[in-house]
Amino acid sequence: MVVCANLLLPYVLVLISSSSPPNGDPTTQRLPTLLTVRVNVPPLQSVGTDGNKGKTFAWADKADVTSSMEVIKYYAGWADKITGQTLETTEKKMIYTRHEPLGVVGQIIPWNFPLLMLTWKVGPALATGNAIVLKPSEFTPLTAIRMCGLIQEAGFPPGVVNVITGYGNTVGAAISSHMKIEKVAFTGSTLVGRKIMEAAAKSNLKDVTLELGGKSPNIIYDDADMEQAVNWAAFGIFWNHGQACCAGSRIFVQEGIYDEFLKRFTEKSRAIRVGDPFETGIDQGPQVSQQQYDRIMEYIDSGKKEGATVHLGGDRHGTEGYFINPTIFTETKPDMKIVKEEIFGPVGVVIKFKDEDDVIRQANETVYGLASAVFTQNINRALDTAHRLHAGTAWINCVNQLHGNVPFGGCKQSGIGRELGEYALAHYSHIKAVHINLGHQM
């Protein structure tokens, strides 16, 4: 670690740690208390929903807040463990490597998980000793602002974590093209990811990591546990109103169980409760904005026009607000927009397949490669399928399982690099090799 990292180390270590602070610095005792206490009172969960986002209060509490704590704890543990190597060459030389912070890094996060995405970004950046300029989505700025308050109250040095609110074409563009920002990390659409790469290339060739869109396949083999497959499939596509980059939006079901699965899946989907996200028992709130609502409805209309069958839903819920009923399409074709493109809403397609080779071909027939899932009780088939799928993550008999110590990211047009785990740390430092001459003479 270098000087910058050493200065930040006491603060990072106690970001959520309950142990005594390094060097007895009293300011470092405050943030763990603030986060562990305030995370368990309604205001922080409310900010986790970010008011205008529509996320249900229950899920903000159960998933976003809890997982965010896990991520920061994980990276706090890494802060004093990032070391270089001593390398042997000859007896007349000593060589060692050191991990140096990049300096100022830019981070741009989306609106679908405003608290969780913030922790995914700042955790590894702080653990490696960088300063941060972060832009939250213009739809959900409150979470980042509230977290800034907690970071400041805990005593972090001024200027370490900086949040700038605004639009992508102004603030996001400025971060991507700034000559003194050495890296930009972005989570969002593939379209915007291209613009960020272009801006980075045209400016100072800053390092870029991208976690982008997906059209994830969820494969249900005929020997799967039917009840579990149905439950997980519904969770895979309708969790967070379908507004998840890893949503299992293409559900492939083997022909022998297709009819029974579709029947049970329909019953499960029909039981999803849509309504006020702050009400107890509600599973799905409104979509984030008029723009997103219109976009999803356009995809639904496209599916109807192209000849797909609306098996369930396909319309708005109620008479006002951005509510959309859980929607299932069947009888689709591979070239339909609802099969090919990321919808980012509560819309899934159920597709029949014949055998393993057939489903692998269909599943990989996409420009995306973020996540995938396989349901079967045959472990050999499960592993074989997982290995053949072109995706950064393969879940077996589960979906949407994310952990702070496990890398997450995609291949193809789903992104570059990895979030989470030890792998994310490599994106926030550069390696310097130091050669020491102990005997070579010229």
Side-chain angles (χ1 to χ4, degrees), residues 262-277:
L262 184 59
K263 175 185 174 183
R264 296 197 195 183
F265 182 57
T266 303
E267 293 171 354
K268 182 72 176 180
S269 303
R270 187 178 283 119
I272 291 174
R273 294 156 293 188
V274 182
D276 183 343

Side-chain angles (χ1 to χ4, degrees), residues 168-181:
N169 59 1
T170 52
V171 178
I175 290 174
S176 303
S177 59
H178 200 286
M179 294 298 291
K180 292 188 177 181
I181 291 179

